[in-house]
Amino acid sequence: MEGPASVVKELVENSIDAGATEVEVLLEGGGSDRIVVADDGDGILPAELDLAVQRHATSKLTDPDDLAQVSSLGFRGEALAAIAQVSKLRLVSRPPEASSAAGITVEGGRVGARFEAARAVGTTVDVQDLFYNTPARRKFLRTPAAEQVEVLATLERIYLAHPDLAVRVRSGTAEIGRYPRAAKLEEAATWVFGPEFVSAQFSVRSPGTSPVGFHGVLARPTVSRGTSVGIQLSVNGRAIVSRTLSQAVRAAYQDYLPRTRFPVGAIRLTLDPSRVDVNVHPTKREVRIQGERDLADALRRSVRAALVGGTQVADLPAPRRSGTAAVPEKPRTVAPLPALRGQQQRLEEPPPAPRIAGTGRHPAVTLLGALFRLYWVAESDGDLVLIDQHAASERVLYDELRLTGRLARQELMDPVRLPLTARQRTALEANRELLRSAGFVIEPFGGDQVRVRSVPSYRGRRAEARSLPPLLDELADGGRPTVPEGLAERVAASVACHAAVRAGDEITAEELGRVLEALYRTEAPAYACPHGRPVIVRLPRSRLDGWFLRRGA
Ligand code: ADP
Ligand code: MG
């Protein structure tokens, strides 16, 4: 038992094993002071309450051979006993056959007398003062906001593995999470991942009609995370981690996501229980799956096919959308190159191609023109170079932000209202001060909405309010409170990304020239944007010559 999140996990898994369709979770002090989990499952007989909190008491294994084919989530009979050892626990339950509920209390492992209680069919476990009798462990509990982020993450993993379970979470009197009973994984995902995800989501299914296989919902590359925790896996209703399977999902996005980014989504696997060994890890989060390699391969191929099949063009960053106005659909063709323009206006001097002077370390660059309002074609040191206008601008903003460490704030004339997911709201609470110093002033707006009053700005460009939800997701992924520099870098990266020149923006060669000059001035110009995408690609003259079979040139 590490903290509130692992207590919540055990209790809710017990509810699922008891056939519950609904659980309500209450947290006080992020769960360190109190955790209550109430369900509508099939309860515990009064005579068996004592047994439930004893070590190695489980009602879930009757035949030792069952161990090979575990279908319930718990089966060791340890969780309730372990929680009762280190807290003040109250267990109240009513099975359908009883006319009233009965309860017991346990304090530091000592079981008190049974009492009568009032309750509808189901079970309530109330855990107070976690680790009150082990101060050394209590000291390691984190701030309420940080524990709360962790609890919500845990509940979301469980919910994505069991979309048919309705989960409500309160902190004190405030509702902080609501995950309604969903008929489909696709629907459950909308409650967990938020609106950006919904607009980018697609489904995958294992080929064939066999009930054994996988079903998943993932986001197209426009939505991504900085770590692999956005890929939620489950096997037979149990949330698991598997490097092999996560890697397979990620591998499917090759060339669609930069190396430092990870896809987001949920994959549910349904396998013959005899193929799954849940005894390899004490919390049963890691499991051994027979034939995991083949499964991973099939998963990668299905995800790849769904991704590539559905989105021939979405591998480019989405064009800038401001408010609801769409980008005017100009044909994506080659902007006139100065040389061609010279031909049309035969008698005029062609405008000089902008040239960025070299430095000791970097050769000069002559800009020739832009392709697709994204890639600039240029000549440098006798080679052809291509420059990604968004990545270049983003890199420069990021470096300058980190160097100065300051982010100006720009008040929004029209404060923007945004819906946030439960997890995003919790991450906001946990990082409010840091976000404020980074330029985001945010206030609650009732329900799941917040109002963004100001955003970070930099030299006339400003971050968009809608960059906030993905930023909060990344902050929540960190789990533990991040070191300030780490946060500052992530905020800077996010602000830079959203304040930078976008793919699809029409900019002049002069503007890009200024960006490149700034890039050259940077102490150690990194040729990758903060997200790890390349900024400049060099195509050696010799390659071009090779294409045209001028091998000797
Ligand atoms: P395990 O889940 O491994 O059996 P636990 O210590 O988590 O062990 O729970 C012990 C027993 O208590 C379970 O086997 C079950 O019979 C009973 N129990 C615990 N929680 C619930 C619940 N929410 N509803 C019904 N029975 C429960
Ligand atoms: Mg259990």
Side-chain angles (χ1 to χ4, degrees), residues 10-20 37-39 41-44 48-49 51-61 72-83 91 93 122-125 284:
E10 293 293 342
L11 298 182
V12 174
E13 288 187 347
N14 281 346
S15 300
I16 291 171
D17 285 345
V37 173
D39 67 45
D42 54 20
I44 307 171
E48 287 174 2
L49 286 171
L51 209 58
V53 295
Q54 276 169 36
R55 207 161 283 271
H56 305 304
T58 178
S59 60
K60 298 167 195 170
L61 287 180
S72 57
L73 297 174
F75 53 84
R76 291 201 178 103
E78 287 178 356
L80 275 188
I83 297 166
L91 171 64
S93 191
T123 303
T124 303
V125 184
K284 310 180 212 87

Side-chain angles (χ1 to χ4, degrees), residues 187-201:
E187 193 186 325
T190 66
W191 292 95
V192 172
F193 295 118
E196 294 85 24
F197 181 90
V198 176
S199 57
Q201 80 181 46

Side-chain angles (χ1 to χ4, degrees), residues 126-155:
D126 188 333
V127 178
Q128 290 203 37
D129 300 329
L130 190 62
F131 302 141
Y132 78 102
N133 52 358
T134 50
R137 291 173 79 187
R138 176 125 189 128
K139 215 174 60 200
F140 276 100
L141 291 173
R142 288 166 278 162
T143 62
E147 294 293 355
Q148 199 170 295
V149 170
E150 198 80 3
V151 169
L152 284 172
T154 300
L155 287 170

